[in-house]
Amino acid sequence: MAIAQFAVARSPARKRVLAVACGAHALHDGYTDLIYVLLPVWQTEFALSYAMLGILRMLYTGAMASLQMPASVLARRTGGAFLLGVGTAVAAGAYLLIGLGGAGFVVLAVALLLGGAGSATQHPLASSLVSRAYDDQGARAALGTYNFAGDLGKMAIPAMVAWLLALMPWRGAVGIVGALGLLVAVAVLVLLPRDLGSARHVATQARPGTKDSAAGPIAFPLLLVIGIVDSGTRMGFLAFLPFVLKAKGAGFETIGLALTLIFAGGAAGKLACGLLGERLGVLLTVILTEGATAAGILALHWLPLYASLACLPAIGLALNGTSSVLYGTVPDLVSSARREKAFGLFYTGTIGSGAVAPVLYGFVGDAMGPINAIMVVAVVCLLTIPLAAALNPSLRRVA
């Protein structure tokens, strides 16, 4: 009864935490993918080579990936909510600098570096805030909702800027999304207590005992390896999908439609599989999602073009759905005091895997061709199932 009353009392506050975290996730993921829309604009504006465009993209993602662990450590002193608000303001300020400034390539590069540094605060800190808010029940479903919000941002913000580019100069469009980010930063700082997520605040909320010792020393490393394999599968498949469809006779418009279908399915998968994992558990959900992913990828080898297109939403659902289950399992394996560090390490590993996997699979594609390469991706994807089986006893101990 006491626990139920505690949950009810916390409900409005934790819903606020989830709403703010979802808003921040949508903004930051939208900022990250907005760069793809702006690269052709910058190429024309600054007469850049493809190598220079690649450097611009790397500055943002590299800063974001490399600073997640430092952000996790700093949040223990300043409070996760406060640092998330500051990071969001920095990322928004970077886009305002790009949009309102009249300077050239050097300022653009510095702004993207700052934007990536600001976005480094989002994944580990927002995830930790949500997981703690729902620590007593529903953490995996809440993190699935949070994960889904990021995909909404990936679709909404680039689409909004693409629409604005038809109405105004590109700097004005970028300035608008920068101003939007400042509003989100203010919302984070106003709606959440400044010290939420700090070491002092976590200590006052901590419960007796730790999940780390109950789960065992290999539990979190196993989860991290599953996440790395899953992220590599996703990025490897997406790298080869256009070439596989092209070999089946698809044109550029059809390939664009295919990517839209798989991303839409992926967004739905992040939400649905977070809820599914809450009901079925990690092992069964991973077997279902990764098995469906491998079966769907292999089916593309034999299916004609339009049948392949029809399968893509279901493949996207399974392909992206596993990530919500894995993110939602981090709180099951680490104590509340280590949450930021664990999420920082997890996101660094999965983002790094997503960056490296297309290169490694690229060598496979050069040697075997794209259709055979995605079959290798499907086989590697199935490695997550025995890894999840090895993790399952640890999850039972902390259940």
Side-chain angles (χ1 to χ4, degrees):
M1 176 65 75
I3 293 176
Q5 291 174 343
F6 176 73
V8 170
R10 282 185 54 182
S11 182
R14 67 183 184 182
K15 287 179 180 177
R16 188 184 311 121
V17 171
L18 179 60
V20 171
C22 286
H25 197 186
L27 178 82
H28 284 276
D29 276 20
Y31 274 1
T32 302
D33 280 19
L34 175 58
I35 295 175
Y36 291 121
V37 175
L38 295 172
L39 287 178
V41 177
W42 293 337
Q43 183 181 45
T44 302
E45 179 82 7
F46 302 111
L48 301 177
S49 66
Y50 289 109
M52 296 303 289
L53 293 174
I55 289 173
L56 289 178
R57 174 67 183 164
M58 182 187 69
L59 288 173
Y60 195 100
T61 56
M64 181 175 66
S66 61
L67 293 177
Q68 287 185 106
M69 287 301 295
S72 302
V73 174
L74 185 58
R76 304 292 289 149
R77 297 183 179 182
T78 65
F82 175 73
L83 189 59
L84 175 61
V86 171
T88 302
V90 170
Y95 272 103
L96 277 175
L97 177 62
I98 294 170
L100 303 180
F105 176 80
V106 173
V107 172
L108 174 62
V110 171
L112 289 174
L113 192 64
L114 288 173
S119 286
T121 63
Q122 190 275 132
H123 280 122
L125 306 189
S127 298
S128 299
L129 293 174
V130 171
S131 69
R132 285 201 188 95
Y134 287 81
D135 222 3
D136 56 329
Q137 61 178 8
R140 190 172 287 111
L143 285 167
T145 303
Y146 158 81
N147 211 8
F148 171 70
D151 274 32
L152 292 182
K154 290 178 181 180
M155 292 185 284
I157 290 181
M160 181 182 76
V161 171
W163 177 72
L164 289 173
L165 289 175
L167 304 176
M168 63 181 68
W170 72 270
R171 289 186 185 275
V174 172
I176 288 174
V177 296
L180 174 65
L182 287 182
L183 293 177
V184 174
V186 170
V188 173
L189 294 171
V190 170
L191 295 176
L192 298 182
R194 173 173 176 160
D195 68 339
L196 192 64
S198 67
R200 184 192 64 80
H201 184 271
V202 171
T204 64
Q205 302 295 318
R207 299 179 183 181
T210 65
K211 296 181 178 182
D212 310 60
S213 57
I218 67 167
F220 181 75
L222 268 175
L223 183 70
L224 178 58
V225 172
I226 297 170
I228 287 172
V229 175
D230 176 66
S231 179
T233 296
R234 189 161 53 252
M235 295 301 108
F237 172 71
L238 291 174
F240 284 115
L241 178 62
F243 300 100
V244 172
L245 296 176
K246 184 179 178 182
K248 295 176 182 287
F252 289 114
E253 296 85 357
T254 303
I255 291 172
L257 172 63
L259 291 172
T260 300
L261 291 173
I262 202 162
F263 289 147
K270 287 186 175 182
L271 180 63
C273 291
L275 299 171
L276 191 66
E278 198 75 56
R279 290 178 174 271
L280 300 183
V282 175
L283 177 59
L284 185 54
T285 306
V286 168
I287 290 173
L288 290 173
T289 56
E290 299 289 18
T293 297
I297 292 174
L298 292 172
L300 294 181
H301 182 74
W302 293 284
L303 290 175
L305 176 61
Y306 290 107
S308 297
L309 292 175
C311 290
L312 288 179
I315 295 174
L317 189 150
L319 186 71
N320 273 19
T322 311
S323 63
S324 284
V325 181
L326 300 179
Y327 298 149
T329 304
V330 173
D332 293 339
L333 301 180
V334 298
S335 63
S336 183
R338 295 183 60 241
R339 203 68 56 79
E340 284 85 5
K341 183 178 178 181
F343 273 116
L345 184 59
F346 193 86
Y347 279 110
T348 299
T350 54
I351 291 173
S353 171
V356 172
V359 179
L360 297 179
Y361 283 123
F363 289 115
V364 178
D366 289 337
M368 303 173 60
I371 293 181
N372 289 326
I374 67 162
M375 296 186 73
V376 174
V377 173
V379 172
V380 173
C381 154
L382 294 175
L383 293 176
T384 58
I385 294 177
L387 290 169
L391 177 64
N392 198 48
S394 297
L395 293 172
R396 287 182 175 179
R397 285 197 293 271
V398 298

